[in-house]
Amino acid sequence: MNVIKDIKSKALPKHVAIIMDGNGRWAKKKGMLRTFGHENGAKAVKQVVEASAELGIENLTLYAFSTENWKRPKLEVQTLMKLLVSSLKKEIKTLQDNNIKLSAIGNLKSLPTKVYNELFDVINTTKTNNRMTLTLALSYGSREELLNTVKEISIKVKNNIISPEKIDESIINEHLYTQNLPDVDLLIRTSGEKRISNFLLWQIAYAELYFTNTLWPDFTKQHLYESIIEYQKRERRFGKTSEQLS
Ligand code: FPP
């Protein structure tokens, strides 16, 4: 309990993003199929969503399925999609009870119709909730997002809606999938890998990076607390000197 109190007494990250990695290895270690790892990964998602809302984190973004993940074996992709639908159905009550708004980023039109419909059903049901925004990155790739942004802005330039001299960071932000979200403050990746893997490249420009060897299905509320305690110990200078900050 004291841990939560301590965390809440200091500046919280406004936006936490997580690369949930290690489901397959977790299952393999147990002699089980990869899909068993994903099922248990979904349980970890619930823990982390609840813990984030309890702490008062305003934005949580989870990398649930990348554009590259479509290349996985068909059965694994199908299982992940089914798991998404069942988790959305099952957790709508948790989202409502905790006043959490669901959002999604990525090439959502490429999702199977069933997933797309269930997703937007939950997005619409939770749209007025305002304690925390939970964003699922689905069929998401940061370079694709940036390409779309460039295309959209170019069309507006061509049609004289935006003049090229007026293009600044805020215009780019407005055209990203994450248009309503603040920059990421804390990026967590589980399973010991130290890569960004095409996740929120623009949005993590000043994020603190936190890598842990814990495999995603083993990630608990306690692990989230540890990552935030570490974040709160770091000094974020945004290019300035320590003296300027104090
Ligand atoms: C990475 O582990 C995980 C994924 C590709 C999918 C993440 C999905 C979940 C946590 C489950 C469902 C999500 C929601 C939002 C309900 P990996 O398969 O790459 O593991 P490995 O690196 O050990 O092979």
Side-chain angles (χ1 to χ4, degrees):
M1 271 300 136
N2 276 339
V3 178
I4 299 176
K5 231 173 133 188
D6 277 359
I7 292 175
K8 284 185 161 187
S9 70
K10 299 187 187 117
L12 279 171
K14 281 196 166 49
H15 187 178
V16 175
I18 310 183
I19 303 176
M20 309 180 288
D21 197 8
N23 293 351
R25 273 164 285 165
W26 183 88
K28 200 174 170 198
K29 265 174 58 182
K30 294 191 154 30
M32 303 293 280
L33 293 174
R34 295 177 57 79
T35 48
F36 182 67
H38 296 315
E39 283 157 19
N40 282 277
K43 289 183 190 159
V45 168
K46 187 179 160 94
Q47 289 279 309
V48 167
V49 170
E50 282 178 358
S52 303
E54 282 158 15
L55 286 176
I57 288 164
E58 290 165 21
N59 298 283
L60 175 69
T61 300
L62 303 177
Y63 206 1
F65 196 85
S66 72
T67 44
E68 289 77 21
N69 285 153
W70 291 113
K71 295 180 203 143
R72 291 196 174 191
K74 211 171 151 197
L75 187 69
E76 184 172 343
V77 172
Q78 279 173 351
T79 306
L80 275 167
M81 292 299 146
K82 271 194 203 148
L83 194 57
L84 260 167
V85 174
S86 62
S87 301
L88 286 165
K89 277 199 167 98
K90 206 163 88 194
E91 300 308 338
I92 186 153
K93 193 173 178 310
T94 313
L95 297 177
Q96 291 292 65
D97 290 350
N98 288 284
N99 193 11
I100 298 168
K101 174 168 145 182
L102 185 77
S103 176
I105 53 171
N107 183 5
L108 305 177
K109 293 213 171 72
S110 68
L111 294 170
T113 319
K114 231 176 154 183
V115 179
Y116 185 92
N117 290 343
E118 193 60 45
L119 181 67
F120 277 89
D121 195 29
V122 181
I123 288 176
N124 284 326
T125 309
T126 61
K127 69 178 178 219
T128 56
N129 292 349
N130 58 11
R131 184 177 179 203
M132 181 176 89
T133 298
L134 166 65
T135 303
L136 297 181
L138 291 167
S139 191
Y140 175 87
S142 187
R143 286 188 173 181
E144 187 180 86
E145 176 185 35
L146 290 166
L147 273 172
N148 281 338
T149 301
V150 172
K151 282 184 195 159
E152 278 183 28
I153 297 175
S154 306
I155 293 168
K156 289 188 181 167
V157 167
K158 194 172 145 202
N159 294 330
N160 294 318
I161 298 168
I162 299 176
S163 71
E165 310 76 56
K166 288 268 162 68
I167 300 174
D168 58 9
E169 290 191 12
S170 69
I171 291 196
I172 293 184
N173 280 327
E174 283 161 24
H175 289 83
L176 294 168
Y177 296 143
T178 50
Q179 55 194 175
N180 299 315
L181 294 173
D183 275 357
V184 175
D185 295 310
L186 171 63
L187 175 74
I188 299 171
R189 181 169 190 150
T190 59
S191 92
E193 307 292 351
K194 295 183 178 69
R195 286 189 294 276
I196 304 300
S197 299
N198 204 14
F199 191 44
L200 303 172
L201 299 178
W202 171 276
Q203 299 87 337
I204 60 164
Y206 291 101
E208 291 296 330
L209 308 181
Y210 180 86
F211 299 105
T212 168
N213 289 333
T214 307
L215 301 173
W216 178 252
D218 287 331
F219 199 87
T220 59
K221 292 187 175 190
Q222 200 55 44
H223 291 95
L224 181 77
Y225 301 153
E226 280 165 24
S227 71
I228 296 173
I229 291 166
E230 165 72 23
Y231 167 89
Q232 290 177 326
K233 280 188 202 147
R234 297 193 195 168
E235 179 187 57
R236 304 186 76 205
R237 295 204 296 273
F238 300 97
K240 294 181 183 170
T241 66
S242 293
E243 292 71 29
Q244 282 175 307
L245 289 176
S246 57

